[in-house]
Amino acid sequence: MNTVIELLQNRVSSPKLTAPAPNSAELEQILACAVRAPDHARLKPWQFHVISGQALSKLGEIFARAVGEGVAQDKLDKCRNMPLRAPLMIVATCEPQENAKVPALEQFLAVGAAIQNMQVAISSLGYGSIWRTGEMAHLSEVKDAFGLSSAGEIVGFIYVGTPEKLPSKPVTNLSDCVKYWD
Ligand SMILES: Cc1cc2nc3c(=O)[nH]c(=O)nc-3n(C[C@H](O)[C@H](O)[C@H](O)COP(=O)(O)O)c2cc1C
């Protein structure tokens, strides 16, 4: 992969991730790419929580508590182990601000663009990632743990590491989604 075009056209998500994760210098680069995402009025509606080591287990406990006591033990275990699927997680959150020109939707989109910048940066450094959300992203106990108000959202749990094996890239057919206007 030596050009941005090649990188963008060949990037794939990696559901199976292992150590090593990017080191701290690489992580700084990845986060610096995140904050260069397009962001209407430069509101910086994002926060990035970097979670690794013991903190992944702490997040797993938060997931297990949030899902509630009434659920089956295997679901509790599954939730507790979710963050352990990669050696590093970056949780991207959006706290939309009141702004006359920039609706909340555009602020969420800016955080999505930041995530995409990170995923491309991660690939370019030779690592893998996957953007996940799911039930945990929407539980109020989990949102509270990230200091979000009721208007704020977890936009993505970005699992980061070294791909165990790269999934093959599906073939895309541009004619399915592109229309050229006369
Ligand atoms: C907002 C958002 C949420 C997602 N949530 C999940 C998820 O919870 N679990 C999952 O397996 N994939 C999720 N995905 C999809 C993966 O990140 C990935 O894009 C998908 O597996 C397709 O793989 P590809 O990126 O290699 O094309 C989500 C994607 C987006 C944009």
Side-chain angles (χ1 to χ4, degrees):
M1 304 256 175
N2 36 28
T3 69
V4 175
I5 296 287
E6 275 177 306
L7 188 65
L8 285 165
Q9 289 187 7
N10 290 292
R11 182 209 62 81
V12 281
S13 300
S14 304
K16 296 229 176 285
L17 292 158
T18 186
N23 63 33
S24 43
E26 291 167 326
L27 190 55
E28 288 272 306
Q29 302 247 42
I30 292 162
L31 293 164
C33 292
V35 298
R36 280 307 305 126
D39 165 25
H40 196 170
R42 297 211 169 134
L43 295 179
K44 302 184 179 67
W46 43 54
Q47 284 283 313
F48 303 97
H49 299 257
V50 178
I51 304 179
S52 62
Q54 286 299 309
L56 291 168
S57 302
K58 188 171 147 188
L59 181 60
E61 289 307 322
I62 291 167
F63 283 179
R65 267 202 306 277
V67 85
E69 282 169 11
V71 300
Q73 188 62 41
D74 58 346
K75 174 148 188 191
L76 270 185
D77 292 342
K78 185 172 172 224
C79 295
R80 187 173 283 117
N81 290 326
M82 278 175 180
L84 307 180
R85 291 180 288 191
L88 175 73
M89 195 196 286
I90 303 171
V91 184
T93 64
C94 180
E95 191 63 67
Q97 299 160 33
E98 283 296 325
N99 186 286
K101 277 208 293 193
V102 189
L105 173 63
E106 294 188 3
Q107 300 181 46
F108 290 115
L109 290 171
V111 182
I115 293 174
Q116 173 67 5
N117 274 8
M118 286 198 287
Q119 288 200 280
V120 174
I122 289 164
S123 295
S124 85
L125 292 168
Y127 298 95
S129 67
I130 184 164
W131 178 348
R132 295 183 190 270
T133 48
E135 183 187 358
M136 296 304 122
H138 308 293
L139 295 175
S140 54
E141 294 86 342
V142 178
K143 289 173 63 178
D144 288 349
F146 289 96
L148 291 165
S149 73
S150 57
E153 295 288 350
I154 293 168
V155 182
F157 296 112
I158 315 307
Y159 289 74
V160 187
T162 298
E164 276 183 16
K165 109 172 176 354
L166 270 186
S168 56
K169 184 175 78 95
V171 178
T172 48
N173 188 352
L174 287 182
S175 62
D176 291 344
C177 56
V178 180
K179 298 254 181 293
Y180 290 94
W181 282 35
D182 296 327

